[in-house]
Amino acid sequence: MQAVKIGLMGLGTVGGGTATVLIRNCEEIARRVGRKLEVVHAAARDIADQTILDGSKVKLSEDAASVVNDPDVDIVVELIGGYSPAKELVLQAIENGKHVVTANKALIAMHGTEIFKAAEAKGVIVAYEAAVAGGIPIIKAIREGLAGNKIEWLAGIINGTGNFILTEMRDKGRDFDDVLKEAQALGYAEADPTFDVEGIDAAHKLTILASLSFGIPLQFDKTFTEGISKITREDVNFAEELGYRIKHLGIARKTDKGIEMRVHPTLIPEKRLIANVDGVMNAVLVKADAVGSTLYYGAGAGAEPTASAVVADLVDVARAMDSDVNDRVAMLGFQPASLQDTAVVSADDFETSYYVRMLADDRPGVLADVTRIFADNDISIEAVIQKEPDEGQTRACLIMMTSLIVEKNMSKALSKIEALDSIEGDVVKIRLEHLS
Ligand code: HSE
């Protein structure tokens, strides 16, 4: 049988890894698919910089459009990243009747609706397993493995760079910037690393996971996003003392009010398996009605782990490309006509617990004032710790943990607490989830 012909756009960390895995494992892959997967054309910005494809018969080019317009190419692999020109190239590939495999979470989260529509009209497949959690086959797990379930919620560590930074800060007391530089050198960080530390990368991925889980349209603009840039070593240490770890989580949950989609630093009990996912590793915990809780763990970034997902998509596309379009797995798991416009819950109505830390005058009545404000706003306190003032200081550190509350109540309470003369500066607040 004729080989399936692949065009690669991008030969950076993931593109290089993909070419390497396709070459190294070509026999094993052909045994699975029943035909060879052969790279016939590759484009990169500086083609002279790549060495992986030297000596091969692969056409090399510095113009990605030449891959998209190459009549020999059956499947275009987009590993350029970012919104543009990736979007235009992918739409042109679809227009040319080619299947597409992409690792681009920003592209799918922002423009997935338009891209899937164009692909459906042309009868081609767009596959994007590598867009979420690197090498973990989480899209396949949710879309196919859990297809018999109603998904209730999921919580994931879905940005390797952020997890690497939090882990190194906790374990080695390293500086934020120093760890970030290492993540960039190792090829984990986004081209714009603010995407990692401000939570945007995780929000792209969470948007995709929420659509796959609940059969809703992709709505990146409605995903609440908060990064890790304001997390201090002090809070990491206090959390540890209280039996919690601070992780940057993406959470999607179906509630009576609609779907919560949120990405933010979160305290989680240290005894949860997911609390012990460290370094660049990712994990996604999914709670579904029939199966209960399942946990998916693995490398969330890096050349070959991400290539593993790209190549798995190539295998899937090669297996399905000659099938009737109606026999294929829907790109978001739910039939396009069955996507539901379920309400997305606004941040004010999120239900979560909280860790708060404040600097307070060390005198009678201060704690009573604070707890009164919490009580007036329907906030129940589960634990209080007071750290004595440091030598020569008059302010004590007050740490409190709340039970489950509605977020707008916390905002009201904190603005009143911050206005008290006895409280210095802003109150630090970090959401807390028990994930039980
Ligand atoms: N910058 C991403 C991360 C790469 O650190 O997880 C994988 O999407």
Side-chain angles (χ1 to χ4, degrees), residues 103 105 130-131 133-134 158-162 187-190 196 201 205 280 282 300-302 306:
K105 53 263 164 156
I158 46 179
N159 181 266
T161 302
Y188 301 148
E190 293 304 296
D196 295 298
D201 176 76
K205 295 166 180 168
V280 75
N282 280 194
T306 312

Side-chain angles (χ1 to χ4, degrees), residues 132-278:
V132 182
I136 308 175
I138 186 63
I139 291 177
K140 202 170 194 62
I142 293 177
R143 200 167 57 179
E144 296 170 51
L146 300 179
N149 288 258
K150 277 188 192 152
I151 292 179
E152 294 167 9
W153 55 264
L154 64 83
I157 296 172
I158 46 179
N159 181 266
T161 302
N163 202 41
F164 183 56
I165 292 173
L166 288 175
T167 306
E168 293 286 302
M169 280 171 75
R170 189 192 72 220
D171 290 352
K172 301 186 187 149
R174 288 177 66 190
D175 278 346
F176 191 98
D177 290 337
D178 171 40
V179 192
L180 177 58
K181 278 199 193 97
E182 189 181 341
Q184 286 174 293
L186 291 168
Y188 301 148
E190 293 304 296
D192 176 352
T194 59
F195 274 41
D196 295 298
V197 297
E198 298 305 343
I200 299 157
D201 176 76
H204 286 142
K205 295 166 180 168
L206 196 268
T207 301
I208 297 171
L209 291 178
S211 292
L212 289 160
S213 300
F214 306 119
I216 56 172
L218 293 153
Q219 298 163 89
F220 172 67
D221 56 328
K222 294 191 183 160
T223 298
F224 174 85
T225 307
E226 203 178 282
I228 58 166
S229 57
K230 295 198 182 89
I231 296 294
T232 62
R233 275 194 46 75
E234 209 177 3
D235 291 308
V236 170
N237 293 340
F238 285 144
E240 195 98 345
E241 270 182 47
L242 294 162
Y244 290 81
R245 295 266 165 92
I246 300 180
K247 291 289 178 190
H248 190 247
L249 286 192
I251 297 171
R253 179 180 279 136
K254 195 165 199 170
T255 74
D256 295 342
K257 294 180 217 156
I259 311 280
E260 288 186 1
M261 296 197 286
R262 48 192 170 106
V263 163
H264 50 72
T266 316
L267 268 81
I268 47 180
E270 67 186 1
K271 59 181 184 231
R272 299 270 175 272
L273 276 177
I274 196 170
N276 295 283
V277 171
D278 286 334

